[in-house]
Amino acid sequence: MTRPHSGPDGETGLRRDVLAARRIVVKVGSSSLTTALGGLDSDRVDALVDVLARARVAGAEIVLVSSGAIAAGLAPLGLTERPADLARQQAAACVGQGLLVARYTASFARYGLRVGQVLLTADDMGRRTQYRNAYRALAQVLTMGAVPVVNENDTVATAEIRFGDNDRLAALVAHLVRADLLVLLSDIDGLYDGDPRRPGARRLREVRGPQDLRDVEIGGTGSGVGTGGMVTKVEAARIATAAGVPVVLTAARHAADALAGRETGTLFHRTGDRGSDHLLWLEHASSPRGTVQLTDGAVHALVQGRGPLPAEGVTRVEGHFVAGDPVELVDEAGRVVGRGLSSLAVQELALLRGRSAREVVGQDDLVLLPAAARAGLPAQLRRRVSVRVRPAREVPAHDPARPGAPAGLPPH
């Protein structure tokens, strides 16, 4: 694929951020790869690979985040629709994942390209050590010229299967591999200001920030073979753009136009700069091990950026965590106001709460979720929006050995 020289949009009629991208994460949903009855559609897979392989041959590095394992396993197991129970979903994923990667392997081989399978779960992305290991593996696969094919490990995962958030996974992978662009491929050709099936619904060609989404009705729960929807795609776009990665959302049939920089789908412009891996992981991929309730004064001090959180600002502690674990920070009404890495174990914090100046969470290990950041967004997204307190230093990987967790610690 020939990628025209980058220039002002008015000179080329093309999207500069797309043309300049050299490392691209592409996410494709189940409905774009399978037949209506379940099972892989070879023609659809080949059509997608044709586009990606041409981009790869033209010099771009491609990471493919692909749904479709469960959908691919339906027909071979005699299932006519996606099962509701977890056990049969896992069985379908077990059969379908092999079929999916085999099909990609054969299709990319037509261009002399190899693929490498990378299966992730939320736990892999939620633990700092595994997060860094995933980066090293993906970086090495790209360095050696192969195309990583990333998917959730649906055979062993639970939350992912129930909520099907490969869109969010793709956004995290885009930051993880330092991508220049994220392309979300769906069966809808962009973000509309209402139900695209209704007359008068208008496609948004560009989104430059939360203000452009104020009057947008975001709905949909995905196709019959997948579990994603427009909410997860917009949330993925928000995560990626806040981390400095522009996003194109369009239909799979327009993938060639999207990668060529043509005006298709919806372009989400970057809203932030590429920040610390440490904070992005903490904000979007970490799994809190406990809850720390704060006084109103402590919450106000954190929002104002007035130093670290001291133990004297803590009123209640719940969970099982050790020093270095992520914890949820809540106000006196129980509303989540932030997330941070605790410098104290739960037993020690329970003894020091309310009466010690010992640091619980440092400013460099903290992200906040202020109400101001949620204003003006569609209701489905308001509870998910967070912002960084300040640029933070990168910290070494820390995944402490967890010798027997406390048998049970009552709320304090």
Side-chain angles (χ1 to χ4, degrees), residues 103-264:
R103 191 68 198 86
Y104 277 130
T105 299
S107 194
F108 275 104
R110 297 177 296 137
Y111 293 87
L113 295 173
R114 296 182 180 276
V115 303
Q117 179 177 246
V118 181
L119 297 178
L120 299 172
T121 66
D123 196 50
D124 294 325
M125 298 297 279
R127 292 178 180 270
R128 185 64 179 156
T129 299
Q130 285 96 315
Y131 187 82
R132 295 172 70 94
N133 286 342
Y135 165 72
R136 285 192 288 266
L138 286 164
Q140 190 61 50
V141 172
L142 290 170
T143 298
M144 299 181 75
V147 178
V149 177
V150 181
N151 195 4
E152 294 171 326
N153 193 346
D154 289 335
T155 300
V156 299
T158 54
E160 285 89 339
I161 290 180
R162 289 173 180 163
F163 302 111
D165 208 352
N166 257 356
D167 298 308
R168 178 170 172 268
L169 174 62
L172 294 172
V173 168
H175 189 279
L176 180 68
V177 300
R178 280 79 165 172
D180 303 308
L181 176 70
L182 170 61
V183 178
L184 299 174
L185 300 178
S186 179
D187 49 3
I188 300 176
D189 64 343
L191 175 64
Y192 283 75
D193 58 4
D195 189 335
R197 295 168 296 185
R198 292 202 306 249
R202 181 178 62 88
R203 175 170 61 87
L204 278 64
R205 288 175 169 77
E206 294 182 315
V207 174
R208 295 187 177 274
Q211 69 279 0
D212 292 341
L213 299 176
R214 284 198 185 102
D215 300 321
V216 177
E217 297 177 18
I218 302 175
T221 56
S223 67
V225 293
T227 56
M230 194 54 65
V231 170
T232 65
K233 291 169 179 57
V234 174
E235 171 65 2
R238 188 194 66 77
I239 293 171
T241 55
V245 182
V247 177
V248 175
L249 167 62
T250 190
R253 64 183 181 277
H254 298 317
D257 288 338
L259 291 180
R262 300 188 185 96
E263 200 281 328
T264 184

Side-chain angles (χ1 to χ4, degrees), residues 316-384:
R316 184 182 179 91
V317 183
E318 293 180 330
H320 304 296
F321 56 89
V322 299
D325 277 351
V327 293
E328 211 87 274
L329 305 176
V330 303
D331 63 16
E332 292 186 346
R335 293 174 298 229
V336 177
V337 296
R339 184 176 294 181
L341 297 181
S342 177
S343 59
L344 301 173
V346 61
Q347 297 95 332
E348 189 175 12
L349 179 54
L351 294 174
L352 296 176
R353 65 182 177 87
R355 61 185 182 85
S356 172
R358 283 280 299 277
E359 179 179 299
V360 178
V361 177
Q363 268 192 308
D364 287 342
D365 295 327
L366 171 71
V367 289
L368 296 180
L369 288 83
R374 299 192 292 269
L377 283 180
Q380 301 95 319
L381 300 179
R382 288 177 190 159
R383 296 181 59 189
R384 305 184 184 187

